[in-house]
Amino acid sequence: MLLSMAWETYESDKRIEGFSQQTLKAYKLQAKLLIRYFKDIKLDTITTVQLKEYLSKSSETLKLSSLAHRIRFMKSLFRWSHEEGHITKNPAAKIKEPKTGKRIPKYLTELEIEHLREACTTSMEKALFEFMFSTGCRIGEIVLLEKSRINWSNRSAIVRGKGDKEREVYFNIRCEIWLKRYLEQRIDSDPAIFVTERSPHTMSIAQMRYINKRISNRAQINKTIHPHQLRHSYATHLLNNGAPLEVIQSLLGHEKSETTRIYAQLSGSLRQELYRKYF
């Protein structure tokens, strides 16, 4: 089987398994780079040594996190190929990811959140900002969310996260007010909860990021603001108010507890309080 055919079949299988569009898009880029390097050769002719040479050259220009992502793709592709019987030996089996170290997530202070809140000028911006912060949703989950998935009676929404898994998220009264105001002002029939300002249609991730950047520029906060920082800030806010990590894990939609546990390393009022209480 040729490398290109292996990728196409792998992609189809993973789509059926429920891999997210974002993951498949990222893996497609890795597949193109792999094929560009090796050419479209037969899958069973690729050796471990050749894969390591490819990774060695990649390491000259990639960050450790990007290199780890490349290795995860390769291991997934060749493991699947071996399990499906397309190759008799998995050349990526013994290749290990580099140790990248756990970095504490960057989050926003309460004062920075208020500056961003004040920088929102339209009902759409206010609704989007409040929804991002009060639900802790990933930007890709908000893009996919439709109005019909909102439950106003208990201020909740059903979002579709990684692996096509659904979970219930909650928003506060402030978010409800601005979200209703924004939706009442819309005259389009698009089912998406957030639409573009011109020729209304479902916002893309890039468009939503642009709006987030526009708000942060107005706020004049002396740091680069990314949508995922609002998610980190949401988790930090919960932690500082005493929420157990298992609750935060459920609300964030983390599959592994280790992913959530990194928030326990955050310095803040909760850690100071616990230190004074127990020391």
Side-chain angles (χ1 to χ4, degrees):
M1 176 180 278
L2 295 176
L3 191 53
S4 61
M5 190 179 296
W7 158 249
E8 290 172 4
T9 312
Y10 167 90
E11 183 186 27
S12 297
D13 273 14
K14 296 307 175 183
R15 197 181 299 280
I16 293 169
E17 286 180 25
F19 271 37
S20 70
Q21 290 296 324
Q22 288 83 0
T23 299
L24 289 174
K25 185 178 179 181
Y27 276 9
K28 186 174 185 177
L29 173 60
Q30 293 301 326
K32 284 182 177 179
L33 293 171
L34 194 67
I35 295 169
R36 184 188 300 170
Y37 180 84
F38 284 104
K39 310 303 180 188
D40 200 10
I41 62 174
K42 287 187 177 180
L43 199 64
D44 57 6
T45 62
I46 299 174
T47 66
T48 303
V49 172
Q50 289 174 318
L51 289 178
K52 286 184 176 180
E53 286 175 354
Y54 170 60
L55 292 170
S56 179
K57 290 182 179 180
S58 300
S59 66
E60 295 173 5
T61 55
L62 293 179
K63 293 180 180 179
L64 284 179
S65 57
S66 299
L67 184 64
H69 171 70
R70 182 161 294 183
I71 292 172
R72 280 195 295 274
F73 162 71
M74 280 173 33
K75 289 179 74 69
S76 179
L77 175 66
F78 284 100
R79 182 173 57 248
W80 169 86
S81 300
H82 183 251
E83 290 172 353
E84 291 292 314
H86 301 307
I87 53 177
T88 56
K89 186 178 179 181
N90 179 1
K94 294 184 179 180
I95 294 177
K96 297 179 180 179
E97 290 183 36
K99 292 183 178 180
T100 56
K102 294 291 184 181
R103 291 186 298 176
I104 294 177
K106 294 179 180 178
Y107 64 98
L108 302 168
T109 65
E110 289 187 20
L111 182 60
E112 288 168 334
I113 290 292
E114 287 305 316
H115 279 309
L116 288 168
R117 186 170 275 139
E118 287 186 357
C120 298
T121 58
T122 66
S123 59
M124 179 273 288
E125 288 182 349
K126 290 177 184 292
L128 178 59
F129 175 80
E130 296 298 345
F131 194 84
M132 279 183 168
F133 179 59
S134 68
T135 64
C137 283
R138 302 177 181 93
I139 192 169
E141 295 169 341
I142 300 175
V143 164
L144 294 173
L145 183 61
E146 295 186 350
K147 291 179 287 187
S148 61
R149 306 292 273 171
I150 300 287
N151 184 339
W152 296 106
S153 63
N154 67 347
R155 293 195 295 275
S156 69
I158 303 296
V159 298
R160 197 160 72 247
K162 287 187 175 181
D164 212 33
K165 293 179 181 177
E166 291 188 341
R167 77 178 187 283
E168 188 174 42
V169 298
Y170 307 94
F171 50 89
N172 57 21
I173 294 174
R174 191 199 302 258
C175 178
E176 178 186 11
I177 291 170
W178 283 112
L179 197 55
K180 281 185 175 178
R181 194 168 297 178
Y182 164 63
L183 293 174
E184 286 167 0
Q185 291 173 356
R186 278 173 48 184
I187 56 175
D188 63 275
S189 58
D190 196 289
I193 189 170
F194 290 106
V195 295
T196 55
E197 294 167 286
R198 296 178 182 177
S199 303
H201 59 273
T202 304
M203 270 190 202
S204 66
I205 288 177
Q207 289 166 329
M208 207 168 276
R209 281 187 178 139
Y210 170 75
I211 292 168
N212 188 83
K213 184 178 181 180
R214 187 170 69 190
I215 295 168
S216 63
N217 286 341
R218 279 196 224 112
Q220 296 183 328
I221 295 174
N222 193 26
K223 63 169 67 171
T224 304
I225 308 298
H226 302 290
H228 218 66
Q229 280 175 279
L230 289 174
R231 180 169 160 85
H232 292 324
S233 303
Y234 165 82
T236 307
H237 184 79
L238 288 170
L239 182 69
N240 286 340
N241 282 288
L245 282 175
E246 57 268 24
V247 172
I248 299 174
Q249 178 185 349
S250 174
L251 289 170
L252 289 173
H254 284 161
E255 192 169 309
K256 298 177 181 178
S257 60
E258 290 79 9
T259 311
T260 315
R261 200 167 291 132
I262 194 168
Y263 290 103
Q265 301 175 35
L266 293 168
S267 59
S269 59
L270 180 63
R271 293 184 72 198
Q272 292 175 10
E273 182 185 330
L274 292 176
Y275 172 81
R276 291 176 182 138
K277 180 179 179 180
Y278 294 112
F279 186 76

